[in-house]
């Protein structure tokens, strides 16, 4: 199993550009989440999904969209990038059935100029 | 989810046991204590979790006080690769609510 994979590893955007951060998992996990981490801070939840076709907002959802058309994939879209979205983005997945153990991807470093 | 308090940083000598405390005085009866760590620039990694009994796995031990208001993560023989930020999280299993909150954690530095 590859676990949780994220692409790209690093991206530079100009203010106003849009892009999609990709996340995929091959563990058949129903739950998937997106977090952002800013320097010196903990992780903050952006959006999450409890299964294909179901998504919900986390702590800091503004400026981001998600969709979950398959169990494996959970892309994060930045509609109009802003410098405040400069951050490291982590995708995570976990099983259901009471197991709260989350598996995280390697992260995407995003710089918005 | 209950709030947790951790010291911002700790040092530990290589080969010694690293004891990382966490205070969760407002923990509810159905909330578990989870520990994750994040090695520099990597995604967080699950370590261990428990409800009220002490737990041990290949990575660490978790000691939860009888009143469950605090816990200690123990890395029995710390190595340089254990240098990381350690997060203590308290959460009840809640299908459909994924609002897992990571605080600022404890930055553990293992000293050669």
């Amino acid at each position: 199993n590859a676990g949780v994979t994220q692409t790209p590893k690093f991206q530079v955007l100009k203010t106003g550009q849009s892009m999609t951060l990709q996340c995929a998992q091959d563990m058949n996990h129903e739950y998937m989440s997106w977090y952002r981490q800013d320097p010196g801070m903990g992780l903050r939840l952006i959006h999450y999904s409890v299964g294909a076709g179901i998504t919900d907002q986390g702590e800091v959802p503004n400026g981001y969209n998600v969709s979950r058309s398959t169990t494996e994939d959970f892309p994060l879209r930045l509609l109009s990038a802003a410098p405040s979205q400069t951050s490291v983005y982590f995708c995570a997945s976990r099983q259901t059935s009471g197991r709260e153990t989350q598996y995280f991807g390697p992260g995407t470093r995003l710089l918005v100029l | 989810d209950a709030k947790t308090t951790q010291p911002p940083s700790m040092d530990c000598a290589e080969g010694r046991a690293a004891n990382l405390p966490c205070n969760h005085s407002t923990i509810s009866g159905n909330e578990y204590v989870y520990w994750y760590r994040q090695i520099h620039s990597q995604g967080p990694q699950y370590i261990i979790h428990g409800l009220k009994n002490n737990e041990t796995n290949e990575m660490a031990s978790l000691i939860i006080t009888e009143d469950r208001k605090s816990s200690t993560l123990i890395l029995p023989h710390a190595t340089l690769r254990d240098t990381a930020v350690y997060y203590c999280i308290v959460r009840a299993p809640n299908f459909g609510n994924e609002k897992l909150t990571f605080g600022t954690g404890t930055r553990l530095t293992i000293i050669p």
Side-chain angles (χ1 to χ4, degrees):
Chain A
N1 287 353
V4 180
T5 57
Q6 293 183 236
T7 56
K9 291 184 179 179
F10 183 72
Q11 182 71 49
V12 180
L13 290 178
K14 294 181 179 179
T15 297
Q17 287 185 314
S18 62
M19 80 159 295
T20 299
L21 281 63
Q22 301 292 343
C23 174
Q25 53 91 10
D26 61 359
M27 298 173 282
N28 203 32
H29 288 171
E30 290 194 14
Y31 285 30
M32 297 186 73
S33 308
W34 276 102
Y35 293 85
R36 62 177 286 176
Q37 185 173 37
D38 301 310
M41 298 183 66
L43 283 82
R44 293 184 293 171
L45 182 65
I46 304 171
H47 284 287
Y48 64 95
S49 169
V50 300
I54 305 169
T55 63
D56 204 349
Q57 296 182 349
E59 184 182 359
V60 288
N62 292 339
Y64 307 95
N65 274 1
V66 292
S67 60
R68 184 96 180 270
S69 56
T70 67
T71 299
E72 295 79 17
D73 301 299
F74 190 43
L76 178 72
R77 297 184 187 85
L78 280 69
L79 306 173
S80 178
S84 61
Q85 294 178 304
T86 293
S87 190
V88 181
Y89 292 84
F90 291 101
C91 179
S93 74
R94 71 173 178 87
Q95 298 169 290
T96 55
S97 304
R99 288 191 61 84
E100 298 280 323
T101 304
Q102 294 210 40
Y103 297 86
F104 284 82
T108 293
R109 294 181 176 275
L110 177 66
L111 174 62
V112 183
L113 302 175
Chain B
D1 296 336
K3 179 180 170 61
T4 61
T5 303
Q6 299 176 252
S9 64
M10 294 180 62
D11 293 338
C12 178
E14 186 179 17
R16 303 296 294 270
N19 296 279
L20 290 87
C22 181
N23 183 287
H24 33 79
S25 59
T26 61
I27 192 171
S28 300
N30 64 340
E31 290 181 316
Y32 286 71
V33 179
Y34 291 83
W35 283 85
Y36 286 78
R37 72 179 182 184
Q38 187 174 23
I39 297 170
H40 182 62
S41 298
Q42 299 181 21
Q45 176 190 25
Y46 165 81
I47 302 173
I48 197 168
H49 76 283
L51 182 61
K52 49 185 170 182
N53 297 324
N54 298 337
E55 302 288 343
T56 296
N57 64 19
E58 64 279 4
M59 291 182 66
S61 294
L62 174 61
I63 308 298
I64 302 174
T65 58
E66 191 168 345
D67 64 7
R68 302 208 325 122
K69 294 184 177 182
S70 65
S71 60
T72 302
L73 177 74
I74 301 172
L75 307 178
H77 305 287
T79 70
L80 297 178
R81 286 180 293 182
D82 292 322
T83 292
V85 178
Y86 288 77
Y87 296 97
C88 168
I89 299 163
V90 173
R91 172 176 166 77
N94 191 340
F95 309 120
N97 180 355
E98 202 64 5
K99 294 183 180 171
L100 188 63
T101 302
F102 286 75
T104 53
T106 296
R107 181 173 298 279
L108 175 67
T109 302
I110 305 303
I111 310 238

